[in-house]
Amino acid sequence: MSALTAQQLAEKALAASTADGCVVYVVESTEANLRWASNSLTTNGAMRSRQVVVVSFVDGGAGMAAGTVARTGTPDVAELVAASEQAARDAGPAEDAVPLISEEPPGAGEWDADPAETSIEVFAEFAPALGEAFGAARDRGDLLFGYAEHAMTTTYLGTSTGLRLRHDQPSGRVELNGKSTDFSRSVWAGVGTRDFRDVSVPGLAGEVERKLGWSKRRVDLPAGRYETLLPPSAVSDLMLYAYWTMEARDADEGRNVYARTGGGNRIGDRLAALPLTLRSDPAAPGLEAAPFQVVGASSGSASVFDNGMATPAVDWISGGVLTNLVRTRAWALKTTAPAVAAVDNLVLEAPDATATQDEMVAATDRGLLLTTLWYIREVDPQTLLLTGLTRDGVFLVEGGEVTGAVNNFRWNESPVDLLGRITEAGRTERTLPREWNDWFTRAAMPPVRVPDFNMSSVSPAS
Amino acid sequence: MAAPRDVDESFLALPLSALTEAALTRAVDLGCEHADLRVERIRTQAISLRDARLEALTDGEDLGLAVRVVHEGTWGFAAGVVLTAAEAVRLAEQAVAVAKVSAAVASDRVELAPEPPHEGAWVSAYDVDPFGVPDAEKTALLTEWSERLMAADGVEHVQSGCTHVKEQKYYADTAGTRTRQQRVRIHPEFTALTVDRTTGAFESMRTLAPPVGRGWEYLTDGRWDWGAELAQIPELLREKTKAPSVEPGRYDLVVDPSNLWLVVHESVGHATELDRALGYEAAYAGTSFATVDQLGSLRYGSELMHVTGDRVVEQGLSTIGWDDEGIEAQRWDIVRDGVLVGYQVDRNTARLGGMARSNGCAFADSPRHVPVQRMANVSLQPAPDGPDLDGLIGGVERGVYVVGDKSWSIDMQRYNFQFTGQRFYRIEGGRLAGQLRDVAYQATTTDFWGSMRAVGGPSTYRLGGAFNCGKAQPGQVAPVSHGCPAAVFEGVSILNTVQEGGR
């Protein structure tokens, strides 16, 4: 990369700082990807990057102000630090100012170690297996589309209060989309992974082949409310939106779905009829995420003053009851409530649930089995009403069996409202969100049954 | 308008020639049929305020280089951040290595449509480089305007901010093209919010000012009347909170360009990207109902519909001199008299679509990403002798006037869409009759454009747009503008969002 290591850059910037406080983080990342369409590779890449971020804190008398400057590569450290300090002087007192973190969080990492890396070689076994899947699909008259990506990100965070924290974050995903040659039938399978050693191309291809087989019988259904089985991927896309909206300040100010009528927030309210738990845990097996916060810009849900703050396991919903919202230390002080940081993973569980998706299908007299959701957007923040489409497989279940594929639908639903209407949840398993996996790959969700999912209109797309 | 400027000397001072020589020579030595080098520096500053107090001011710069090759008919791509000849050689070698790994699963040979070599520099039209304005001055202006909103009756919260970007690109390829470019874009936004604590209801309203390919002068030169817009918002917001909830049904819509630009983007812009029509985006953003076999015959909309692709319009967010494959900027027809007549393409898809030349729609959003086919400024043309806004509204007996964008969603083949807006007004007897609440409209693309029975004249035409249109894997964002007039659509389905939510 350069003569200076990430740790040296961080130390040099901290040493150059003349501010009242300083946070420096360096993010080293490597990434490799393959993309394919119609049984052939289309694009690919191997990328290496380094980002250096300096956050300076300057007390102008009226309060502490913060300024953030970020550069890629190996920037001139003195210039970077000076720019950051100037930005802080220009900013004026910050509303979220609190003393910087000085207590080392658990899982601080090995500061002196080199950054972890990935390369195109991560696909050494995957690519030939994918080639075999292309051949098999070609032989069947099917087409495969998709994408595989592996990234390794190492973050070094140093502060003027003495913290030296390091975290390696591997992230990987595979999406396999199967289509008939006329594109009239389309199905999907996807997984998240840390290292590709647990990715089975034959397993994914088999799932795609099975669903393409289900799709050979086509059934047209009108818009309406249907008993619907949502698979883990679809559940994760809905729950992620509910999670991203869990800002305590917005709720306390009456401006999100977690606001209580009359004032305050809805912590303590029962949101789910079933005793569901929605939680995040940086140590969740297979979903490991950073155990401390790294923040470049303050918002209602994160603060640059909280850099290095521990992000322990947290229940957002426990036993069906809203238990926590995301709260910065500054807002926590103002509202005499605990500071709670967001974590980069999400798990939904029902206690003692053992049913697999197939078993839930077998227990369904008549209903729809979805595959994934797409183009999810907020319609009404007050209720968190979302809209979106079904995609790559809506299957009709009759008498406990899949009997054909149904047209796609546009739906309008609120994930918070849905929580209250889920009548059954199955066994939680690792899943890949379809809509949001650009940003979020670490999720584990159960399949769920909703008796009256609102399919607002028919989508002719296949 | 200030005199045309040059690309910043600090960017030109980078070792562009040495990097070019090193990367392209090594790629040719390794047997590549084609190789290109991009050096990019993208400066982004985001200022956000909450309730008229600065929440965050971040200043980022992304500088790096990328080498893309075609080796034995297969793409290879590598990117890094160290601007040395040795690193350029390493990236060329890595790109070839990636191509070799990929060859095992590549059955289609990459062939690029030809383009003559170009040499030159291009800078977008702006007066004041926002990065040359002191942060304190920018923050002070945003704070003052936010305070104005906060001071109004009923406005409990204000979310505001401004994002501006300066993008510098150098491109070189083995055919001899050498281009240097610089462009600036800016997006200020102000949102007022009112909260009724007794009912738990809250409502918001945002400025309609679109993101544009301009500099800081966008906030100061009066061409957009910020003062008038900010002054109107509190009263409009109050009216919205008291407005009746819409009765669902079919209505004639008069759609303002502040809303229609997004319909153009989703239902025409994305649907006429040839890579989508060919299946290259099938697993992610999706395909298109506008398939290649229908080029020249697909009835896209009414005969009033004329849509162009445009990479040359001044102050467009997708306006350039040359694209990220060295193709000269162009303007062309996509829909003419309501019929599909063109696509947006890059050099590879041009060849696949049987076209002699790319129309210049390759774009990479960072030095770390491979160029993909991205959107031109796709615009609905006004009727040369068309009516003004009052004339359009006056022609509707019972309908709804839609202003500003808010929520949007469309399916993966660009048929079924649902949009909301900032404001909806009842139209009764050709006149506006107050705002409506809880409105969303749904339609299918060809039904919607087929129902367009009147197109506004040039006085109603406005350039809207977005900073962050997403596409491709790994995900990339692209800025793009869409011009359109106001237009009238017959019998469009309107939903009540409260009822949709089951309340």
Side-chain angles (χ1 to χ4, degrees):
Chain A
M1 170 64 71
S2 80
L4 284 179
T5 66
Q7 299 93 322
Q8 288 169 333
L9 269 172
E11 297 292 1
K12 203 173 163 185
L14 288 166
S17 172
T18 61
D20 298 299
C22 186
V23 169
V24 180
Y25 63 88
V26 181
V27 182
E28 301 269 16
S29 62
T30 47
E31 180 183 334
N33 61 61
L34 298 175
R35 195 178 194 206
W36 55 94
S38 301
N39 300 332
S40 182
L41 190 92
T42 53
T43 52
N44 52 43
M47 293 86 95
R48 175 184 293 274
S49 183
R50 166 189 277 173
Q51 186 187 37
V52 185
V53 181
V54 177
V55 191
S56 293
F57 303 89
V58 173
D59 190 348
M64 197 70 84
T68 301
V69 177
R71 299 285 183 265
T72 48
T74 304
D76 183 309
V77 169
E79 195 177 297
L80 185 59
V81 170
S84 167
E85 291 177 3
Q86 183 61 48
R89 281 191 290 274
D90 286 345
E95 200 175 10
D96 56 335
V98 288
L100 294 182
I101 299 272
S102 56
E103 185 181 347
E104 185 174 287
E110 191 183 346
W111 175 261
D112 292 327
D114 290 338
E117 291 191 357
T118 190
S119 75
I120 196 76
E121 295 306 316
V122 76
F123 301 126
E125 293 178 16
F126 176 86
L130 187 64
E132 287 178 24
F134 289 170
R138 203 174 289 121
D139 291 345
R140 290 196 310 271
D142 295 334
L143 300 171
L144 294 180
F145 304 77
Y147 180 66
E149 172 185 276
H150 191 243
M152 187 65 82
T153 302
T154 298
T155 303
Y156 297 89
L157 177 86
T159 70
S160 54
T161 52
L163 296 184
R164 296 294 183 272
L165 311 178
R166 174 180 187 272
H167 179 72
D168 294 329
Q169 184 63 70
S171 304
R173 55 179 166 139
V174 181
E175 293 191 75
L176 193 60
N177 172 215
K179 291 183 188 296
S180 56
T181 49
D182 64 357
F183 284 30
S184 65
R185 293 178 289 136
S186 184
V187 302
W188 182 91
V191 291
T193 179
R194 284 170 64 84
D195 54 18
F196 271 79
R197 284 183 295 192
D198 55 351
V199 173
S200 166
V201 175
L204 288 168
E207 190 179 339
V208 163
E209 186 179 355
R210 180 191 190 203
K211 289 176 179 171
L212 279 172
W214 285 348
S215 304
K216 285 180 178 167
R217 177 175 174 247
R218 163 74 180 231
V219 182
D220 288 324
L221 289 179
R225 288 184 177 267
Y226 289 92
E227 177 168 323
T228 301
L229 296 177
L230 296 164
S233 174
V235 175
S236 69
D237 274 324
L238 291 168
M239 289 305 118
L240 273 172
Y241 217 113
Y243 179 39
W244 286 335
T245 317
M246 284 183 166
E247 182 186 316
R249 182 171 177 180
D250 272 353
D252 295 340
E253 291 180 344
R255 50 197 284 198
N256 72 17
V257 70
Y258 301 107
R260 183 185 298 283
T261 301
N265 60 55
R266 294 175 65 190
I267 288 178
D269 279 10
R270 174 164 292 283
L271 299 184
L274 299 179
L276 300 173
T277 295
L278 184 71
R279 63 184 177 85
S280 297
D281 179 358
L287 305 175
E288 291 87 347
F292 55 85
Q293 274 209 303
V294 180
V295 182
S298 290
S299 65
S301 57
S303 167
V304 289
F305 291 89
D306 293 350
N307 269 300
M309 174 179 158
T311 57
V314 57
D315 284 356
W316 306 107
I317 295 172
S318 181
V321 175
L322 181 66
T323 318
N324 275 299
L325 294 170
V326 177
R327 192 178 292 109
T328 64
R329 288 189 301 146
W331 194 249
L333 276 173
K334 196 163 188 172
T335 56
T336 59
V340 184
V343 178
D344 199 16
N345 64 28
L346 194 65
V347 177
L348 182 70
E349 290 174 317
D352 306 322
T354 58
T356 64
Q357 182 174 297
D358 284 351
E359 288 168 344
M360 288 173 70
V361 168
T364 301
D365 183 43
R366 190 171 194 277
L368 302 178
L369 169 65
L370 305 188
T371 301
T372 58
L373 306 179
W374 186 246
Y375 221 135
I376 302 169
R377 292 294 182 274
E378 186 176 288
V379 176
D380 180 3
Q382 191 174 319
T383 56
L384 201 61
L385 181 71
L386 307 177
T387 194
L389 288 308
T390 63
R391 182 170 181 184
D392 293 319
V394 178
F395 300 104
L396 179 62
V397 178
E398 294 174 301
E401 292 184 352
V402 173
T403 58
V406 178
N407 45 271
N408 281 299
F409 295 99
R410 168 171 299 286
W411 50 268
N412 279 308
E413 280 286 1
S414 160
V416 176
D417 195 55
L418 271 181
L419 279 168
R421 288 158 44 216
I422 292 172
T423 54
E424 183 186 1
R427 188 172 70 198
T428 292
E429 60 184 61
R430 177 158 193 187
T431 190
L432 184 69
R434 174 72 185 277
E435 168 90 347
W436 307 123
N437 69 43
D438 273 7
W439 299 280
F440 204 100
T441 58
R442 286 174 279 280
M445 298 279 150
V448 305
R449 185 188 305 277
V450 179
D452 53 356
F453 197 87
N454 179 17
M455 301 298 186
S456 177
S457 59
V458 168
S459 157
S462 57
Chain B
M1 184 67 63
R5 48 160 54 87
D6 294 327
V7 177
D8 289 353
E9 184 54 39
S10 62
F11 183 71
L12 298 178
L14 296 172
L16 304 175
S17 297
L19 295 171
T20 303
E21 175 69 18
L24 300 188
T25 301
R26 185 60 181 145
V28 170
D29 288 348
L30 291 171
C32 296
E33 300 99 278
H34 165 90
D36 57 60
L37 167 83
R38 271 182 302 121
V39 180
E40 294 194 11
R41 180 165 70 184
I42 301 169
R43 184 99 182 264
T44 304
Q45 191 173 61
I47 308 171
S48 66
L49 291 86
R50 182 169 182 138
D51 294 345
R53 293 189 64 171
L54 184 68
E55 183 171 62
L57 191 157
T58 58
D59 186 320
E61 181 183 283
D62 192 357
L63 171 64
L65 72 167
V67 178
R68 186 178 67 154
V69 303
V70 180
H71 181 268
E72 295 185 356
T74 303
W75 286 121
F77 177 79
V81 293
V82 180
L83 303 187
T84 63
E87 176 69 352
V89 167
R90 189 190 73 78
L91 291 176
E93 291 169 349
Q94 190 177 25
V96 171
V98 169
K100 286 179 176 174
V101 169
S102 306
V105 281
S107 56
D108 296 336
R109 284 190 70 86
V110 174
E111 291 179 28
L112 305 179
E115 176 75 8
H118 302 285
E119 168 86 43
W122 178 91
V123 179
S124 67
Y126 63 94
D127 292 341
V128 181
D129 182 347
F131 294 92
V133 178
D135 291 348
E137 186 178 326
K138 288 183 279 197
T139 302
L141 182 64
L142 297 172
T143 303
E144 183 197 331
W145 290 2
S146 300
E147 284 172 343
R148 261 193 236 171
L149 273 178
M150 281 292 290
D153 265 359
V155 175
E156 191 149 338
H157 298 288
V158 172
Q159 206 74 39
S160 52
C162 184
T163 302
H164 33 271
V165 180
K166 181 194 270 188
E167 178 187 290
Q168 294 162 324
K169 292 197 182 205
Y170 168 77
Y171 172 89
D173 65 26
T174 44
T177 289
R178 305 284 185 271
T179 59
R180 302 168 300 281
Q181 303 189 75
Q182 175 168 301
R183 56 181 184 161
V184 167
R185 51 187 177 269
I186 189 165
H187 189 195
E189 279 189 306
F190 296 82
T191 303
L193 192 132
T194 184
V195 179
D196 183 338
R197 291 194 184 279
T198 55
T199 63
F202 59 91
E203 191 58 80
S204 67
M205 191 165 291
R206 199 188 70 228
T207 46
L208 304 182
V212 290
R214 302 188 60 198
W216 187 252
E217 74 276 4
Y218 185 37
L219 287 103
T220 59
D221 70 2
R223 288 172 63 187
W224 184 271
D225 194 343
W226 290 97
E229 183 167 29
L230 292 169
Q232 288 170 354
I233 279 183
E235 179 53 36
L236 290 170
L237 180 58
R238 270 194 296 277
E239 185 191 356
K240 187 177 181 180
T241 59
K242 294 172 185 161
S245 197
V246 70
E247 186 69 31
R250 291 199 172 271
Y251 293 80
D252 290 351
L253 300 189
V254 178
V255 186
D256 192 79
S258 57
N259 183 275
L260 191 58
W261 74 268
L262 190 46
V263 186
V264 171
H265 174 85
E266 298 289 2
S267 69
V268 187
H270 279 305
T272 57
E273 295 170 323
L274 186 57
D275 64 336
R276 290 183 65 112
L278 293 171
Y280 278 37
E281 278 283 316
Y284 181 58
T287 58
S288 174
F289 73 92
T291 50
V292 178
D293 56 308
Q294 300 180 88
L295 185 64
S297 63
L298 174 66
R299 170 56 60 184
Y300 213 109
S302 81
E303 291 181 352
L304 302 172
M305 187 181 188
H306 178 203
V307 178
T308 56
D310 185 343
R311 302 215 70 179
V312 297
V313 64
E314 190 167 285
Q315 294 166 353
L317 293 167
S318 184
T319 300
I320 45 134
W322 303 270
D323 77 353
D324 287 355
E325 295 185 319
I327 307 296
E328 190 174 29
Q330 300 160 41
R331 185 175 190 271
W332 68 100
D333 282 350
I334 293 176
V335 176
R336 183 94 212 178
D337 301 328
V339 175
L340 174 72
V341 296
Y343 284 104
Q344 305 159 73
V345 303
D346 60 17
R347 293 183 74 177
N348 189 39
T349 54
R351 196 270 305 172
L352 294 170
M355 298 163 64
R357 185 188 181 201
S358 166
N359 49 33
C361 290
F363 174 74
D365 71 350
S366 96
R368 286 185 307 282
H369 286 151
V370 67
V372 290
Q373 190 262 290
R374 296 309 307 262
M375 212 180 290
N377 303 301
V378 172
S379 299
L380 175 70
Q381 297 304 308
D385 303 318
D388 62 11
L389 185 60
D390 287 343
L392 290 170
I393 292 170
V396 173
E397 184 55 33
R398 174 180 175 271
V400 175
Y401 173 48
V402 185
V403 181
D405 66 84
K406 196 166 189 182
S407 174
W408 69 99
S409 173
I410 190 167
D411 70 34
M412 55 284 182
Q413 283 184 293
R414 305 281 143 173
Y415 285 115
N416 176 310
F417 60 71
Q418 177 177 310
F419 289 86
T420 63
Q422 293 294 322
R423 300 191 286 274
F424 292 86
Y425 294 87
R426 270 188 313 129
I427 302 174
E428 295 289 348
R431 291 173 176 274
L432 297 186
Q435 289 191 55
L436 290 165
R437 282 179 59 102
D438 312 322
V439 182
Y441 66 97
Q442 272 187 11
T444 297
T445 294
T446 46
D447 290 348
F448 181 78
W449 290 108
S451 78
M452 186 168 68
R453 73 162 159 81
V455 175
S459 69
T460 73
Y461 187 85
R462 189 182 296 163
L463 206 60
F467 252 38
N468 295 310
C469 167
K471 190 181 175 184
Q473 289 178 310
Q476 298 194 39
V477 293
V480 59
S481 290
H482 301 283
C484 51
V488 180
F489 300 84
E490 275 184 332
V492 180
S493 177
I494 279 194
L495 312 177
N496 182 300
T497 57
V498 173
Q499 292 176 17
E500 283 293 302
R503 287 182 290 150

